[in-house]
Amino acid sequence: DAGVIQSPRHEVTEMGQEVTLRCKPISGHNSLFWYRQTMMRGLELLIYFNNNVPIDDSGMPEDRFSAKMPNASFSTLKIQPSEPRDSAVYFCASSMTSGLGAQYFGPGTRLLVL
Amino acid sequence: SQQGEEDPQALSIQEGENATMNCSYKTSINNLQWYRQNSGRGLVHLILIRSNEREKHSGRLRVTLDTSKKSSSLLITASRAADTASYFCATDVGGSEKLVFGKGTKLTVNP
């Protein structure tokens, strides 16, 4: 298996622009997680889905952030409008509910908002 | 606030030595997991220990869990330069799939 795939790997944008991050989970995994990692705040869970349904979005910082999972093999995290404080590494992870919680992470998207 | 807190924040050792990292958490858990993150990469799952287990081994890794003290330790024996990475503990929240990660221990193994 190719593992969790994220795109783009790097994104540089200007404040106010829309940013869309993409994730393809491991085939057969039914849970998907979006995390944000910064030096100051560490690794934070933004939202997670189970069977394509959002279960917990309490970590989404504000209305500028939205996430969708239209099918079992694709998810997006959108920031609109982006701000410099959104600069971070965004990770997608997937797991099997029956897998006792082990999560498999993608390589991350490094976002820089100027 | 972070559920898990690793200690120390940074650790530097020589190749061949053992490395011990600790994790403390605040609320009841069903399981505790350890992950490794190499610089610029995603996290990699190392080992999971359930709340009813006290010790678990995987290769050169040994994890202990003390639920009465709400703490866990990760021991890497006979360390190698390739073990250089940040190590994170993660705990479940209320029995859900949601994990809360600590800020990690940065391990440097000098050749």
Side-chain angles (χ1 to χ4, degrees), chain B residues 94-111:
Chain B
S96 74
E97 292 187 87
K98 185 174 177 176
L99 293 179
V100 177
F101 287 80
K103 288 199 171 181
T105 292
K106 187 171 184 178
L107 173 66
T108 302
V109 181
N110 302 298

Side-chain angles (χ1 to χ4, degrees), chain B residues 30-61:
Chain B
N30 289 324
N31 66 69
L32 184 144
Q33 304 179 38
W34 285 91
Y35 288 78
R36 183 188 74 228
Q37 184 179 32
N38 290 87
S39 181
R41 303 283 192 94
L43 280 72
V44 174
H45 180 260
L46 295 176
I47 195 165
L48 178 151
I49 186 166
R50 302 185 195 190
S51 60
N52 61 355
E53 298 176 311
R54 291 297 167 258
E55 187 170 313
K56 201 162 184 180
H57 296 254
S58 176
R60 293 184 296 111
L61 305 181

Side-chain angles (χ1 to χ4, degrees), chain A:
Chain A
D1 200 314
V4 175
I5 298 172
Q6 291 187 247
S7 65
R9 293 292 310 278
H10 303 273
E11 177 83 20
V12 180
T13 191
E14 293 188 345
M15 183 174 63
Q17 296 297 306
E18 177 179 295
V19 175
T20 299
L21 311 181
R22 298 173 176 79
C23 175
K24 177 178 168 54
I26 292 173
S27 177
H29 283 190
N30 59 350
S31 293
L32 183 140
F33 307 80
W34 282 101
Y35 291 90
R36 177 172 68 178
Q37 186 176 38
T38 62
M39 288 294 293
M40 288 297 294
R41 299 176 66 88
L43 193 65
E44 303 172 280
L45 177 67
L46 300 177
I47 185 171
Y48 84 93
F49 297 83
N50 183 262
N51 293 324
N52 312 338
V53 175
I55 303 300
D56 187 334
D57 65 355
S58 59
M60 295 287 262
E62 48 199 271
D63 291 345
R64 298 184 298 105
F65 286 68
S66 63
K68 294 182 180 179
M69 191 165 187
N71 58 61
S73 59
F74 184 65
S75 177
T76 59
L77 177 68
K78 187 175 291 187
I79 308 172
Q80 166 64 15
S82 58
E83 297 182 2
R85 60 190 168 126
D86 301 330
S87 297
V89 182
Y90 290 81
F91 289 103
C92 175
S94 69
S95 72
M96 289 187 292
T97 306
S98 59
L100 296 179
Q103 296 183 11
Y104 296 81
F105 281 71
T109 295
R110 188 173 296 274
L111 173 65
L112 177 61
V113 183
L114 301 174

